[in-house]
Amino acid sequence: MKFSKALKYASIISAPLIGGRIIGKYAVQNARKDYKKNVKPPLSPPGYVFPIVWSILYLSMGVAHFIVVKNRANKTVNGIYYSQLGLNYLWSILYFKYKLRGAALIESYILFSSVILTATQFYKVKKSAGLLLLPYVCWTAFAAYLTTGNWTLNKDNPRYTEK
């Protein structure tokens, strides 16, 4: 394999993880402190779980995308993938950076729908790529539940939405 092709594939696999780290540095600086002071819904994991889970999910997204690129996915499939990735990053900006928690709540369901669409399209290209996104589908559903629970339990607390 040529070096340029190997570099292309490595960038496809690592792009979501690198993007997630950049968004994390930009938007999620005070997330742990913020997370501790809010009332949490049942089944909320400890704060340290989120960066671990998201790192694994971003890596699996990159591998799944690599598989569909290698199998010559069309531009529509790639567009769907990058749209859901953009929505994923947007949620953190809305929720943590700007504390637009109501908008983040709505966006979490749009994101969940786009992740299902992405997984379905990837599955049509190559089953293994779609299956690799199943943990992401499950976690995004869980994240929408957490966002809903946090909104419901904290929306009347001014600290919840103050910057």
Side-chain angles (χ1 to χ4, degrees):
M1 179 185 313
K2 289 184 179 181
F3 178 75
S4 62
K5 200 168 219 172
L7 187 61
K8 175 186 174 186
Y9 291 151
S11 67
I12 289 169
I13 291 169
S14 63
L17 187 59
I18 292 168
R21 303 273 300 163
I22 291 168
I23 291 298
K25 293 287 183 201
Y26 171 73
V28 190
Q29 294 167 348
N30 297 316
R32 286 193 187 191
K33 185 169 54 170
D34 203 32
Y35 186 72
K36 285 179 183 177
K37 70 181 179 184
N38 294 329
V39 179
K40 288 169 262 331
L43 306 176
S44 294
Y48 69 83
V49 168
F50 294 98
I52 296 167
V53 169
W54 278 114
S55 294
I56 294 166
L57 293 175
Y58 284 140
L59 190 57
S60 68
M61 280 185 245
V63 171
H65 188 225
F66 166 77
I67 291 168
V68 296
V69 166
K70 197 109 164 83
N71 282 276
R72 303 189 192 330
N74 63 38
K75 288 182 180 182
T76 302
V77 173
N78 283 321
I80 291 168
Y81 170 76
Y82 285 114
S83 294
Q84 69 76 29
L85 191 56
L87 287 167
N88 181 306
Y89 298 154
L90 177 62
W91 184 91
S92 294
I93 294 167
L94 292 172
Y95 192 86
F96 292 114
K97 179 73 175 173
Y98 295 111
K99 293 192 177 188
L100 297 170
R101 306 283 169 81
L105 171 62
I106 294 164
E107 198 270 2
S108 71
Y109 287 95
I110 296 168
L111 171 60
F112 177 54
S113 299
S114 72
V115 171
I116 292 171
L117 178 61
T118 303
T120 302
Q121 292 302 311
F122 276 27
Y123 188 85
K124 288 177 182 177
V125 173
K126 186 77 172 175
K127 288 181 183 180
S128 60
L131 294 174
L132 265 172
L133 293 183
L134 282 180
Y136 181 35
V137 170
C138 294
W139 186 261
T140 307
F142 183 57
Y145 156 76
L146 291 174
T147 305
T148 303
N150 276 294
W151 171 257
T152 303
L153 296 169
N154 295 286
K155 68 179 185 248
D156 296 327
N157 180 350
R159 290 181 316 175
Y160 183 65
T161 53
E162 284 176 357
K163 278 179 76 171

